[in-house]
Amino acid sequence: MTARPSAWALPPVTPLTALGTLGEQLATNNGQSSEVTRIAGRGSGPDLLFKRYKKPLDDADAQRLDRLVAFGRSAADAGRPAREVLLRRTSWPVARVTDPTSATVGCLIPLAPDAYRVPGGGFREIDLLARPDGRMARGGTPPTPAQRLAVCRSLVGVAAALEQRRLVYSDWNYANAFWSPVDWSVFLIDMDGCAQDSGPDIHQPGWEDPLAGTGAPADPYTDRYRVALLAGRCLTGTRPLAELLHTLAAPPPGVPREAAQLLLDMLWADQRRARPRASVLLAALQDGPVVRFAVTRSPLPARPAASRPATTQPRPTALTRPAAPGRPPRPGGPPAPGTPQQDKAAAWQVAALVAFIALLVLLVVLAQ
């Protein structure tokens, strides 16, 4: 288990008064919580947090949370592999917290281990891996393709464990996943929002399911899309969706081709239900046997034009800036030759002027 055994010694439904004095506040107004605070009470363990909700849960949500807590506390053989992954790699809820009126005001969750923390700072969000190696090199040595692959295996392993239990997470994004350069594993937070089969569609801009209707609940197919988006970005260091799709279509060295094709199927299948399961993607990332069915994809969007490289040409000056039409060039060099069209036009102008002068002379002579 991630949390110390003393944390699980607390009852599955814990009164707020039993927590004693709350400790350091780590976050405020973050998503669905109004605060996240360390628990300093006896028997809770120093690595346990109290997550207070912005508003109490209704009865249905309270029962949903109870089922999550019960699964984490279970010693049954059924579901053991998934349970071990989720307890080790996520902030799985330890208890539901109630106020004196028995309203559900929050939950207890384990704190992410220090291996996922930047030395002397906050947690290392997976957002960093969704950047190209060149940009990451500015802050240190970028991860190798094998290390990126290890992170994605860990991430998709959590997704596969959730999917095995028919749990929908929905809130896949950069801020909710931490990664460790020690063993290249992933730790996911905010697991208390998981729901069976379907739940609220929680997402940030840029993470919308393109095939889901507006306001539709999140389901396993939503999760498959977002898992593929996050894993693909971290695996390739490519963030824009259109660029990511083309990168997966012709994967760079270090990206397993079978996994790249499955990621494309999960991202760009023309039917939501055709998106492959997370467990199939995990097998491909682990170079295991993969049973892959044909998936019809939508046409790829146009690939974004490559950004123009920076030039070393000097900025125009009084000597290099072209003269405006009709103005003589400034001193400093010979006049620039005109184009053939410009020379022809100038010759016609001279001829017309000569004819006009000749006509004037003729008129003067005739007038005398």
Side-chain angles (χ1 to χ4, degrees):
M1 295 182 181
T2 299
R4 296 183 180 181
S6 58
W8 294 91
L10 293 168
V13 179
T14 300
L16 181 59
T17 54
L19 300 182
T21 303
L22 299 180
E24 176 191 4
Q25 189 176 78
L26 301 183
T28 58
N29 293 323
N30 188 12
Q32 295 179 318
S33 65
S34 61
E35 65 173 339
V36 177
T37 310
R38 285 183 182 269
I39 298 302
R42 184 181 60 183
S44 65
D47 52 2
L48 202 61
L49 306 176
F50 169 51
K51 179 178 179 179
R52 187 191 297 271
Y53 299 132
K54 290 181 178 178
K55 61 180 182 179
L57 300 185
D58 59 25
D59 290 343
D61 256 349
Q63 293 173 8
R64 175 193 55 77
L65 181 56
D66 282 345
R67 288 192 291 270
L68 297 177
V69 171
F71 174 69
R73 290 171 175 265
S74 173
D77 289 336
R80 184 182 298 276
R83 184 187 304 113
E84 290 178 351
V85 170
L86 296 174
L87 292 181
R88 187 174 67 253
R89 298 299 184 198
T90 76
S91 60
W92 200 258
V94 171
R96 177 166 62 91
V97 178
T98 58
D99 67 6
T101 69
S102 296
T104 301
V105 294
C107 67
L108 299 181
I109 56 175
L111 177 67
D114 287 340
Y116 299 94
R117 190 185 292 275
V118 177
F123 290 103
R124 187 179 287 101
E125 295 181 357
I126 206 169
D127 173 44
L128 183 64
L129 293 178
R131 304 174 183 177
D133 289 344
R135 184 175 177 186
M136 291 189 66
R138 301 173 189 171
T141 304
T144 65
Q147 290 165 343
R148 285 183 178 273
L149 184 60
V151 171
C152 290
R153 285 172 179 161
S154 180
L155 175 72
V156 177
V158 173
L162 289 170
E163 193 171 62
Q164 182 184 349
R165 303 303 303 172
R166 294 168 45 206
L167 290 171
V168 174
Y169 177 61
S170 179
D171 201 13
W172 299 94
N173 62 67
Y174 297 129
N176 280 358
F178 308 144
W179 63 281
S180 168
V182 176
D183 60 359
W184 303 96
S185 65
V186 165
F187 190 90
L188 218 62
I189 63 173
D190 287 347
M191 305 306 295
D192 54 298
C194 289
Q196 195 88 32
D197 296 324
S198 68
D201 187 12
I202 305 171
H203 65 271
Q204 297 179 3
W207 296 85
E208 300 89 350
D209 182 345
L211 299 182
T214 303
D219 58 19
Y221 310 107
T222 311
D223 269 16
R224 292 175 192 179
Y225 173 82
R226 290 179 182 151
V227 168
L229 188 58
L230 184 55
R233 285 169 165 170
C234 296
L235 188 60
T236 65
T238 305
R239 189 184 300 262
L241 177 58
E243 185 68 26
L244 171 62
L245 294 172
H246 284 276
T247 300
L248 293 171
V255 177
R257 300 191 68 85
E258 190 72 22
Q261 291 301 307
L262 283 165
L263 286 167
L264 279 174
D265 290 344
M266 296 171 78
L267 290 169
W268 224 238
D270 61 1
Q271 299 292 329
R272 298 179 74 246
R273 291 181 176 272
R275 292 168 179 164
R277 296 174 61 88
S279 57
V280 178
L281 174 61
L282 179 60
L285 292 170
Q286 294 174 335
D287 293 327
V290 175
V291 178
R292 180 167 166 246
F293 299 96
V295 173
T296 304
R297 302 178 194 143
S298 300
L300 294 185
R303 189 164 196 162
S307 57
R308 293 183 178 181
T311 64
T312 57
Q313 296 295 327
R315 294 181 61 186
T317 65
L319 295 179
T320 61
R321 185 183 299 112
R327 295 182 182 178
R330 295 195 177 202
T339 64
Q341 291 83 358
Q342 291 173 332
D343 293 341
K344 186 175 182 179
W348 276 105
Q349 291 174 354
V350 172
L353 181 59
V354 171
F356 180 70
I357 293 175
L359 179 60
L360 288 178
V361 172
L362 179 62
L363 291 175
V364 171
V365 173
L366 293 176
Q368 295 177 350

